[in-house]
Amino acid sequence: MAPFGGKSLADVVSGIGGNGVGGALAAVAAALLVRLFAGPGIALLPEDEAEDDYAETEDGGGDSIRPVTIRWRNITCSLSDKSSKSVRFLLKNVSGEAKPGRLLAIMGPSGSGKTTLLNVLAGQLSLSPRLHLSGLLEVNGKPSSSKAYKLAFVRQEDLFFSQLTVRETLSFAAELQLPEISSAEERDEYVNNLLLKLGLVSCADSCVGDAKVRGISGGEKKRLSLACELIASPSVIFADEPTTGLDAFQAEKVMETLQKLAQDGHTVICSIHQPRGSVYAKFDDIVLLTEGTLVYAGPAGKEPLTYFGNFGFLCPEHVNPAEFLADLISVDYSSSETVYSSQKRVHALVDAFSQRSSSVLYATPLSMKEETKNGMRPRRKAIVERTDGWWRQFFLLLKRAWMQASRDGPTNKVRARMSVASAVIFGSVFWRMGKSQTSIQDRMGLLQVAAINTAMAALTKTVGVFPKERAIVDRERSKGSYSLGPYLLSKTIAEIPIGAAFPLMFGAVLYPMARLNPTLSRFGKFCGIVTVESFAASAMGLTVGAMVPSTEAAMAVGPSLMTVFIVFGGYYVNADNTPIIFRWIPRASLIRWAFQGLCINEFSGLKFDHQNTFDVQTGEQALERLSFGGRRIRETIAAQSRILMFWYSATYLLLEKNKPKYQKLELLVDNGETGNSGVQLDKAEVDQTEKPEDDDINQPLDDQNQTSDSDDELDEIRPFVLEGSKV
């Protein structure tokens, strides 16, 4: 280790604030902070290797779009239940194809597996030991289970930093994802083109907003999500139910945007529940799922209506085709008779399409020349760090974090009012304390309440906000926008001015009202102690937010953990009387160290009125009763600093450990049989299947001179009439 005045780094660190548990925590925290500062930036290949790997995959500048065809065969996803030892299939032998320049919609009733299939294709299915995923996924004719192309994944939830404008959101995303665009003019032009392309020019300078601050509309937020994903010029765009929560007009605008993106050469795949007729007309291809199985995959428009019409299921006139298809493949649970008949119909349709699809081949495989031209090589994992990336990311994230923190007027106003209100209430209760014997207890109670109030205020604010912000950070980190170190450090520094203001306001009102030790130096130390405690509580809130999956869970865990620290805070249980097994808790309690520092600051040098020899005469005697005798304020500040570093380090480790992990696809062996199974989306192929040579439209699977059982079942339940309509 590097020497520091004749001492090693470990000796220097362990000497900050004492030995024992505190020294160990400080050493661990300092080591992690060193790693944080020394961590690599966004990893990039050397220029020569980058050219080697991507010469065939990039056709020009950052705006070029690689055509990508995705085919999937026999995708099966099952969920096991250990308690009942049962297995439920979320997807079962699903096959299909998505082509560049076409908009593919995955449709089906609730629980049919739409989102699961979309997540599988995008590689976004969350990892679980209970899940089993298998199948064959091809990218431009090459088997692939990992991301070998640029993709965009638009989730149902539109998560943004609420205080930024639309233009600022895109500008920061462009700076983080496209460091090669160093010119501000080029970047502004790039952002302006995106705003124009996505129809966001009218709201470009409007605040994004959230539940507290009114901002842009839901449709504009969805288009902003698309714009953020389009910055890196992805070849494939996945959108998970992009119309959810939108009115009919906004939903159509979003789908128009997706249609235009498909026409620009992107491969667009979206899941959608039950679109209106004008939205359905924008689809080029559809995949119909029910209970995880495939009912139809092919061109959209009239083709699926013609296909199901061959079995006698006719769509009434002036009826939305999407509604007709949704009712056709859904199970009606209104009565036992409808359940039986609808299940029988659905199962027959599944069997019919399964036999039909087994006789339809994929399009002509890519030739060797086309594969060389259009195929994509997976990105190498051997990487080197960019030397200037870390600090560049830090300053960009610092600017964004400061804008978010300083502009959050509603939250800051509430915190300021609560700080002043609580200080007024406590000051009124402990109004102008004297130096009688009873004032000793009052002073201890006031200082304990001050420590608890400061910590809880900082904790609840952090645990209420950070889980949502973590979702944004996880999404941006998964795209390689930045690493964790710059983000955590920039967030910490940006919140220092705002976070310090509220404890100072609290102390400035409370201190004179309660008439605590009336010297300027004591007042400064009081404010310093509660400010450091506030930062430590915020760091603890970050750890809780990084540990649990949701805001609700964080709001439950954070205060519960703080309650334990309050019990061992030095006022309710004397440190000397704490059971041995629990003696580590007071050392880790930020309440205890803040209370100890406030007591030392207040009682040192005080003299109290007394009449009996057994009365407490000096502040030092009062400190002895709390087991704080002989301690110094700087020891408490050092201990609080160790706790602060520990919580930040724990946050860093948890964020690294809990970053999103996705289920891997177990590849099926292509033995020639599976190579011919699949679904052809070309209209010509479908037409051939719909019009067999024997002209028996009611026997579309009679190519092998056999009558399937599914056709017999379909004969029993014809005709199907959409509920509420007339044929």
Side-chain angles (χ1 to χ4, degrees):
M1 288 189 183
F4 289 84
K7 297 182 180 180
S8 67
L9 178 60
D11 295 334
V12 172
V13 171
S14 61
I16 302 177
N19 299 318
V21 176
L25 293 179
V28 172
L32 287 170
L33 285 176
V34 169
R35 178 184 174 185
L36 183 148
F37 279 102
I42 296 295
L44 294 177
L45 289 168
E47 291 184 4
D48 55 344
E49 293 187 15
E51 291 176 1
D52 244 5
D53 272 1
Y54 295 100
E56 296 175 358
T57 64
E58 298 295 341
D59 293 330
D63 294 333
S64 62
I65 301 171
R66 289 277 310 145
V68 170
T69 297
I70 301 177
R71 294 170 181 164
W72 56 97
R73 286 181 275 176
N74 302 327
I75 299 294
T76 299
C77 181
S78 59
L79 181 67
S80 60
D81 189 348
K82 293 183 178 180
S83 59
S84 61
K85 296 183 179 179
S86 61
V87 176
R88 181 166 67 94
F89 284 93
L90 306 179
L91 296 172
K92 190 173 182 180
N93 293 326
V94 177
S95 302
E97 180 182 31
K99 293 181 178 180
R102 298 179 71 84
L103 173 57
L104 169 66
I106 303 173
M107 296 172 55
S110 298
S112 60
K114 302 185 297 294
T115 298
T116 302
L117 177 59
L118 191 77
N119 288 335
V120 169
L121 298 180
Q124 300 288 314
L125 188 64
S126 297
L127 181 65
S128 172
R130 298 170 55 200
L131 278 177
H132 181 264
L133 180 63
S134 63
L136 184 61
L137 184 64
E138 295 180 344
V139 177
N140 285 346
K142 295 183 178 180
S144 174
S145 61
S146 61
K147 288 186 284 186
Y149 54 89
K150 290 182 181 180
L151 67 84
F153 190 83
V154 183
R155 293 170 172 81
Q156 289 190 37
E157 304 84 9
D158 301 314
L159 299 174
F160 301 102
F161 288 97
S162 59
Q163 303 305 317
L164 302 183
T165 66
V166 172
R167 189 185 303 276
E168 289 169 345
T169 300
L170 287 176
S171 295
F172 279 116
E175 286 191 80
L176 290 168
Q177 295 184 46
L178 301 175
E180 63 271 13
I181 303 180
S182 57
S183 170
E185 291 77 12
E186 292 181 15
R187 186 167 54 250
D188 291 342
E189 182 181 0
Y190 190 88
V191 170
N192 289 333
N193 289 336
L194 273 177
L195 292 171
L196 184 62
K197 187 175 183 179
L198 275 299
L200 295 170
V201 175
S202 60
C203 62
D205 298 315
S206 301
C207 179
V208 174
D210 56 10
K212 297 177 295 183
V213 180
R214 183 175 178 82
I216 59 178
S217 66
E220 290 168 338
K221 283 185 179 180
K222 187 63 68 175
R223 296 203 298 274
L224 179 57
S225 295
L226 278 169
C228 290
E229 296 294 335
L230 288 175
I231 284 179
S233 298
S235 298
V236 184
I237 300 172
F238 297 93
D240 185 12
E241 300 201 14
T243 60
T244 299
L246 304 180
D247 58 53
F249 177 78
Q250 293 290 351
E252 181 153 8
K253 288 297 181 183
V254 170
M255 295 311 300
E256 278 183 8
T257 302
L258 289 176
Q259 184 184 37
K260 290 178 182 177
L261 292 173
Q263 293 170 353
D264 290 341
H266 298 275
T267 303
V268 183
I269 307 173
C270 71
S271 62
I272 194 164
H273 183 61
Q274 191 167 328
R276 60 188 287 189
S278 58
V279 170
Y280 175 82
K282 293 177 172 55
F283 300 149
D284 297 303
D285 305 307
I286 62 170
V287 170
L288 295 180
L289 296 176
T290 180
E291 298 179 347
T293 55
L294 192 62
V295 184
Y296 174 84
K302 296 182 179 179
E303 280 80 358
L305 304 182
T306 304
Y307 169 74
F308 290 113
N310 294 338
F311 300 112
F313 303 116
L314 303 176
C315 178
E317 294 182 2
H318 310 298
V319 171
N320 180 2
E323 294 181 4
F324 169 78
L325 295 174
D327 284 0
L328 179 63
I329 63 177
S330 297
V331 177
D332 185 358
Y333 290 96
S334 58
S335 66
S336 58
E337 292 80 7
T338 58
V339 169
Y340 173 77
S341 61
S342 58
Q343 283 185 339
K344 192 173 182 180
R345 178 185 70 247
V346 168
H347 293 163
L349 290 173
V350 169
D351 293 340
F353 190 78
S354 175
Q355 295 187 34
R356 169 185 179 273
S357 63
S358 65
S359 64
V360 180
L361 303 181
Y362 274 120
T364 304
L366 296 172
S367 65
M368 291 301 294
K369 182 177 180 180
E370 290 174 328
E371 285 188 4
T372 303
K373 180 179 179 181
N374 295 332
M376 286 191 173
R377 301 179 186 178
R379 298 189 176 192
R380 292 188 183 182
K381 293 186 178 180
I383 53 178
V384 294
E385 64 181 83
R386 190 174 63 223
T387 55
D388 63 337
W390 201 99
W391 289 107
R392 181 179 180 277
Q393 295 167 36
F394 167 73
F395 286 115
L396 283 174
L397 295 172
L398 178 63
K399 180 181 178 182
R400 186 177 73 174
W402 170 249
M403 294 169 69
Q404 174 70 17
S406 61
R407 293 179 183 177
D408 194 1
T411 300
N412 294 335
K413 288 178 182 178
V414 170
R415 293 185 68 187
R417 290 169 183 169
M418 290 303 298
S419 297
V420 174
S422 58
V424 170
I425 293 173
F426 298 153
S428 301
V429 173
F430 298 95
W431 177 260
R432 294 190 173 278
M433 293 180 294
K435 295 185 179 180
S436 63
Q437 291 294 303
T438 56
S439 70
I440 299 175
Q441 180 182 356
D442 292 346
R443 290 173 189 272
M444 291 180 180
L446 173 60
L447 297 178
Q448 177 72 1
V449 167
I452 294 173
N453 178 78
T454 301
M456 289 298 294
L459 175 72
T460 53
K461 182 265 176 185
T462 305
V463 297
V465 173
F466 184 65
K468 297 178 182 178
E469 183 175 328
R470 189 188 72 180
I472 303 176
V473 174
D474 287 342
R475 182 188 66 191
E476 292 177 334
R477 289 178 60 208
S478 67
K479 293 188 292 187
S481 298
Y482 50 81
S483 53
L484 181 57
Y487 161 73
L488 198 56
L489 183 62
S490 64
K491 179 177 177 61
T492 302
I493 295 177
E495 293 183 352
I496 287 178
I498 305 295
F502 305 111
L504 293 176
M505 294 170 62
F506 176 77
V509 175
L510 175 64
Y511 206 87
M513 289 185 67
R515 200 163 63 182
L516 295 172
N517 205 320
T519 61
L520 187 60
S521 62
R522 297 292 180 97
F523 170 71
K525 291 177 182 178
F526 177 93
C527 292
I529 292 170
V530 294
T531 300
V532 175
E533 181 199 19
S534 176
F535 290 146
S538 294
M540 175 180 162
L542 292 178
T543 303
V544 173
M547 181 172 52
V548 298
S550 65
T551 301
E552 291 75 14
M555 293 297 290
V557 173
S560 301
L561 185 59
M562 186 64 75
T563 301
V564 177
F565 291 153
I566 291 174
V567 172
F568 292 93
Y571 183 73
Y572 303 106
V573 179
N574 193 290
D576 292 341
N577 298 329
T578 304
I580 296 177
I581 192 174
F582 295 129
R583 286 190 177 176
W584 63 272
I585 300 180
R587 296 191 182 98
S589 172
L590 54 92
I591 300 290
R592 180 260 176 139
W593 289 111
F595 177 61
Q596 176 178 311
L598 293 175
C599 286
I600 295 172
N601 181 63
E602 175 63 23
F603 285 101
S604 297
L606 272 186
K607 294 184 179 180
F608 298 98
D609 300 335
H610 59 281
Q611 297 176 350
N612 304 308
T613 56
F614 54 81
D615 288 340
V616 175
Q617 301 178 16
T618 64
E620 283 72 14
Q621 292 177 343
L623 292 175
E624 287 291 344
R625 293 191 175 187
L626 293 172
S627 300
F628 294 161
R631 303 297 179 88
R632 298 180 179 180
I633 292 180
R634 66 182 183 183
E635 294 179 8
T636 66
I637 296 295
Q640 285 182 304
S641 300
R642 290 198 302 270
I643 294 173
L644 177 70
M645 293 172 62
F646 169 77
W647 287 122
Y648 274 122
S649 302
T651 302
Y652 182 92
L653 290 177
L654 286 171
L655 289 176
E656 279 288 356
K657 179 180 180 296
N658 296 335
K659 61 184 178 182
K661 300 180 180 64
Y662 301 111
Q663 196 82 17
K664 291 184 178 180
L665 182 68
E666 295 184 10
L667 295 179
L668 294 177
V669 179
D670 192 359
N671 55 12
E673 296 179 2
T674 59
N676 292 331
S677 64
V679 181
Q680 171 58 277
L681 300 185
D682 286 343
K683 183 175 179 180
E685 295 279 351
V686 177
D687 291 340
Q688 292 174 7
T689 306
E690 291 172 352
K691 298 180 180 179
E693 294 180 0
D694 57 7
D695 292 329
D696 187 358
I697 197 169
N698 291 327
Q699 300 285 343
L701 303 178
D702 197 35
D703 296 332
Q704 301 174 5
N705 297 322
Q706 295 179 357
T707 302
S708 67
D709 295 335
S710 60
D711 286 326
D712 295 336
E713 294 178 4
L714 289 170
D715 286 332
E716 297 176 13
I717 57 176
R718 296 177 190 160
F720 173 75
V721 180
L722 186 68
E723 184 177 353
S725 303
K726 295 181 180 180
V727 182

